[in-house]
Amino acid sequence: MIETKNINFYYDSFHALKNISMQMHVHTVTALIGPSGCGKSTFLRLFNRMNDLIDNTRLTGECLINGRNIYHSSVQVDELRKMVGMVFQKPNPFPKSIFENVAYGLRVNDVRDKTFIAHRVEESLRAAALWDEVCDKLKKSAFELSCGQQQRLCIARALAVSPSILLMDEPASALDPISTSKIEELIYSLKKDYTIVIVTHNMQQAARVSDRTGFFMLGELIEYNDTKKMFLNPEKEQTQNYITGRFG
């Protein structure tokens, strides 16, 4: 369970998130939609504390994972990020082999058992629907893969350290339609094992992959509901206007 209670977030004096309260349930896909600059990526980055890396920011309210406030002083950020994986808008493989890209997180966390590492690499590549395409070239550079394969490799890298939550910030926006379809199929299959939160500008994608959708506007959560209801019968006029293309 992920829950936020009265979250407010500031970049210096700019009020980027305004009193956001919502719950995201285990083994579901939650999509965050809204126009550029509405706060959805800032909100996503709360859950692995990536906003901590930005100077002059401030947070009020509570951000809870399994009932624990992840901004409490007792929380170890490195441990949190093992539990909460992240996939970015553009594929960002490391300048290493395919194998070492996936093994990276394990090695950083002092895992030395070669058999275990090999098992997790294969398991993660299979979970990312990439194993059959790369199993005979694991020692080759990750940069030899196509853009879509690189993004699935980044997903495998995130899965290797056994997170329970996967954050995705527009994971298919840089991909062609075929690769996008593969990523969407992958998201759908992964939710049986992970809780997934995805930011997307593509409303059709949100409708296809998510169980619930949150619509953000100017830092506010305008509406949060079951995806089907959100797209077929939204409660708020602002949501209706955005979904039908009247603004945004």
Side-chain angles (χ1 to χ4, degrees):
M1 170 76 80
I2 305 171
E3 184 176 9
T4 62
K5 295 181 179 180
N6 306 117
I7 286 287
N8 289 273
F9 188 83
Y10 301 83
Y11 295 103
D12 286 325
S13 59
F14 176 65
H15 196 175
L17 294 173
K18 303 170 183 175
N19 207 39
I20 309 292
S21 297
M22 63 189 297
Q23 293 182 343
M24 288 158 272
H25 295 280
V26 174
H27 302 316
T28 61
V29 179
T30 300
L32 308 178
I33 64 171
S36 296
C38 68
K40 55 191 184 295
S41 290
T42 295
F43 185 70
L44 185 77
R45 293 194 299 264
L46 291 176
F47 303 120
N48 66 351
R49 292 186 54 171
M50 283 200 67
N51 292 325
D52 291 12
L53 304 173
I54 303 170
D55 292 335
N56 302 316
T57 59
R58 182 165 59 91
L59 173 76
T60 65
E62 291 185 298
C63 186
L64 309 169
I65 295 179
N66 296 330
R68 185 184 188 194
N69 185 359
I70 62 171
Y71 284 84
H72 191 273
S73 59
S74 64
V75 170
Q76 297 291 321
V77 177
D78 289 345
E79 292 298 316
L80 172 69
R81 289 178 182 154
K82 289 182 199 174
M83 182 173 65
V84 185
M86 180 130 190
V87 177
F88 297 92
Q89 183 173 358
K90 292 183 180 178
N92 60 338
F94 300 144
K96 298 174 180 288
S97 71
I98 293 167
F99 183 94
E100 288 302 329
N101 262 270
V102 184
Y104 179 81
L106 298 169
R107 298 196 193 284
V108 165
N109 288 295
D110 292 324
V111 177
R112 303 299 172 97
D113 186 324
K114 292 182 179 179
T115 302
F116 177 79
I117 291 174
H119 173 72
R120 282 299 299 154
V121 168
E122 178 177 345
E123 200 171 51
S124 301
L125 287 168
R126 285 188 184 280
L130 191 58
W131 174 255
D132 291 343
E133 297 169 42
V134 303
C135 61
D136 58 348
K137 49 185 177 184
L138 295 175
K139 293 183 179 180
K140 293 194 173 184
S141 170
F143 295 136
E144 294 185 23
L145 299 176
S146 70
C147 192
Q149 288 174 322
Q150 287 183 13
Q151 190 65 303
R152 282 182 284 147
L153 179 68
C154 293
I155 292 172
R157 188 175 66 198
L159 299 181
V161 294
S162 302
S164 56
I165 296 166
L166 195 58
L167 310 177
M168 296 183 163
D169 195 353
E170 297 193 60
S173 65
L175 305 182
D176 62 81
I178 292 174
S179 297
T180 294
S181 178
K182 288 185 177 180
I183 294 293
E184 290 180 3
E185 289 172 8
L186 179 57
I187 291 169
Y188 189 82
S189 69
L190 287 173
K191 74 175 182 178
K192 68 181 187 299
D193 298 311
Y194 304 92
T195 302
I196 299 173
V197 187
I198 177 173
V199 165
T200 180
H201 276 294
N202 185 329
M203 285 183 285
Q204 290 78 19
Q205 183 174 84
R208 286 191 295 265
V209 305
S210 70
D211 301 289
R212 291 177 66 79
T213 297
F215 169 54
F216 283 72
M217 185 73 171
L218 298 175
E220 297 182 14
L221 178 62
I222 303 300
E223 186 169 348
Y224 180 48
N225 218 321
D226 288 342
T227 295
K228 193 172 289 187
K229 184 178 189 308
M230 175 83 85
F231 283 94
L232 295 178
N233 187 28
E235 294 177 355
K236 302 292 179 67
E237 184 179 358
Q238 287 168 290
T239 311
Q240 177 74 31
N241 289 341
Y242 183 73
I243 287 171
T244 56
R246 291 177 200 160
F247 73 84

